[in-house]
Amino acid sequence: MSAAAERQRAAPAEPDRLEGFSSPREVDRVFGHEAAIAEFEDALRSGRMHHAWLLTGPEGIGKATLAYRFARTVLAHGGHHGEAEAIFRKVAALSHPNLLLLLRPYNEKTKRYGQWISVDEVRRLRAFLGNTAGESGWRVVIVDRADELNTNAANALLKALEEPPGQTLFLLISAAEGRLPVTIRSRARTLRLFPLQESDVERAVRAALARDGYETDEATLATALALAQGSVRRALELISSEGIGLYGEIIDTFARLPELDATRLHKVVDGLSNASESERLELYFSLLLGLIERLIRFAATGEGATDRERELGLRLLSRANLAYWAGAWEAIAEERSEAIALNLDKSLLVLDTWFRLQKLAREHPV
């Protein structure tokens, strides 16, 4: 069992934690995002720190890791350098009295996380912000993720953002900025984060593997890095799960278009449509959409694909049919989100996706 897996036994439940690896609050180094770090620390040093920051960007690029770094920086501000290690330990354990984490609650009866951050969760702010028994200095509230607030919870958070106590910092994490009410966005300073450079992804992934005692071979690592698209989480998912195998299945199916192997496809569907396989289904569609996105980019620019993907791109895509492929990407992404949000039939989702791609390859060939 890895070091991270041992810690998870006693760790508070976190809906987005990647099994087998450290939580972002347990990571002591951020790779990339230098401009965002400089902007935040300049604001702190200048004494003109905005009370709320919105950290937004794609999944898995280090938004939460960066938020916890900011929290530690603020909690240590004005103190002694020797306190940094103690603050890191307290933040990692969520035991610092001046730190509050708001997230989707876990239901012990159903063994599932709630779909939304509830108003009861946000009401914890009242006691936290009114508490005078904590350590002196800044108080930090991390909302992970802010786009998962339900309507009542968002309204409750808005009240706190409108009249925050002095030396209070809100760090709102979001992968879907557009889902946040405009009223909340308007009261936060936005830091838009972007996919990491390949070198930063590799350094972060190697650091995670070493920190958590996870071993992999260089071939698997190289494939995961090639498919990561600037996301550390994506690379680690590929390494630690069946992600490499799922990607191989996807690209093999693509290679047969416009034909489909019905027997093989139904076997894949059976393995993805069970309720217990929701994370695997999410990874499958992330890999599929990522592949289509890279093929579109390759057809448009001649860049952004692996050797095998380039072969597929040359056979299936051209500038003449590029708009159709872009439209298919948007439709699949929308249908995936709708099926997950409304708990629709996942087997039909997978089948409809491949029938859509088959029709596209037949009707709009190169």
Side-chain angles (χ1 to χ4, degrees):
M1 182 178 289
S2 71
E6 289 283 1
R7 290 195 300 273
Q8 283 182 5
R9 287 182 170 182
E14 291 172 286
D16 299 319
R17 184 169 191 163
L18 185 58
E19 185 176 356
F21 292 97
S22 298
S23 165
R25 58 187 161 81
E26 299 168 322
V27 176
D28 61 357
R29 187 177 178 187
V30 173
F31 294 89
H33 306 310
E34 291 85 357
I37 293 170
E39 182 176 342
F40 182 88
E41 294 184 349
D42 285 347
L44 182 60
R45 281 193 299 269
S46 71
R48 296 190 296 273
M49 171 64 74
H50 197 285
H51 72 281
W53 294 70
L54 172 61
L55 282 64
T56 182
E59 297 278 7
I61 62 172
K63 298 184 299 297
T65 304
L66 188 60
Y68 282 106
R69 170 178 171 146
F70 288 166
R72 293 193 299 267
T73 298
V74 168
L75 293 172
H77 187 61
H80 301 290
H81 290 295
E83 296 176 354
E85 185 175 343
I87 289 174
F88 178 85
R89 290 197 303 269
K90 290 180 180 179
V91 169
L94 293 180
S95 63
H96 197 294
N98 285 13
L99 174 67
L100 178 67
L101 172 63
L102 302 180
L103 71 172
R104 286 186 285 134
Y106 184 73
N107 189 318
E108 288 289 348
K109 291 183 179 179
T110 63
K111 304 300 181 184
R112 295 171 66 95
Y113 294 100
Q115 185 177 356
W116 308 103
I117 298 177
S118 66
V119 67
D120 288 338
E121 177 76 357
V122 178
R123 283 174 180 156
R124 295 169 56 207
L125 276 171
R126 186 178 305 169
F128 175 74
L129 297 178
N131 182 19
T132 59
E135 299 180 7
S136 61
W138 285 83
R139 296 177 191 274
V140 180
V141 179
I142 296 178
V143 184
D144 189 8
R145 301 175 348 184
D147 48 77
E148 293 172 344
L149 293 158
N150 66 25
T151 301
N152 290 335
N155 290 335
L157 177 64
L158 179 60
K159 291 180 180 178
L161 292 174
E162 289 175 334
E163 299 179 359
Q167 285 195 303
T168 300
L169 175 67
F170 290 86
L171 298 170
L172 314 179
I173 302 169
S174 174
E177 180 184 357
R179 294 181 186 172
L180 281 170
V182 174
T183 48
I184 287 181
R185 281 183 276 159
S186 67
R187 285 165 174 79
R189 181 169 171 176
T190 300
L191 279 180
R192 288 190 175 84
L193 306 177
F194 301 95
L196 297 171
Q197 298 294 320
E198 291 182 11
S199 59
D200 288 326
V201 174
E202 181 172 359
R203 289 192 299 149
V205 167
R206 288 188 182 276
L209 296 174
R211 179 178 56 248
D212 295 322
Y214 201 103
E215 296 183 1
T216 190
D217 59 86
E218 286 296 319
T220 298
L221 177 60
T223 302
L225 292 174
L227 301 176
Q229 295 185 285
S231 169
V232 177
R233 182 184 180 91
R234 171 66 53 76
L236 293 175
E237 282 180 328
L238 289 166
I239 290 169
S240 62
S241 67
E242 299 177 23
I244 300 296
L246 286 176
Y247 170 74
E249 187 65 46
I250 289 168
I251 205 164
D252 284 347
T253 306
F254 244 98
R256 293 184 177 88
L257 289 175
E259 302 303 321
L260 289 173
D261 183 334
T263 301
R264 186 170 179 176
L265 182 57
H266 280 281
K267 185 177 179 181
V268 170
V269 168
D270 290 341
L272 293 172
S273 56
N274 295 329
S276 60
E277 297 290 348
S278 58
E279 290 186 4
R280 193 163 179 260
L281 180 73
E282 272 286 310
L283 179 57
Y284 184 85
F285 270 93
S286 294
L287 291 169
L288 176 59
L289 289 167
L291 171 60
I292 298 173
E293 184 178 344
R294 287 191 299 279
L295 292 177
I296 292 171
R297 188 183 305 119
F298 172 69
T301 68
E303 300 177 352
T306 66
D307 290 343
R308 190 174 183 193
E309 289 171 354
R310 291 189 186 98
E311 294 177 7
L312 290 177
L314 291 171
R315 188 172 69 80
L316 294 171
L317 280 76
S318 68
R319 290 186 179 275
N321 67 14
L322 204 55
Y324 297 104
W325 281 94
W329 184 95
E330 291 179 0
I332 293 168
E334 184 176 343
E335 290 168 2
R336 185 266 310 259
S337 298
E338 183 177 284
I340 292 173
L342 301 178
N343 197 27
L344 302 179
D345 190 323
K346 306 304 188 299
S347 60
L348 285 178
L349 172 65
V350 179
L351 289 172
D352 286 348
T353 294
W354 283 109
F355 292 152
R356 177 189 296 277
L357 295 175
Q358 180 185 46
K359 182 179 180 181
L360 172 56
R362 282 178 174 168
E363 295 183 354
H364 302 283
V366 172

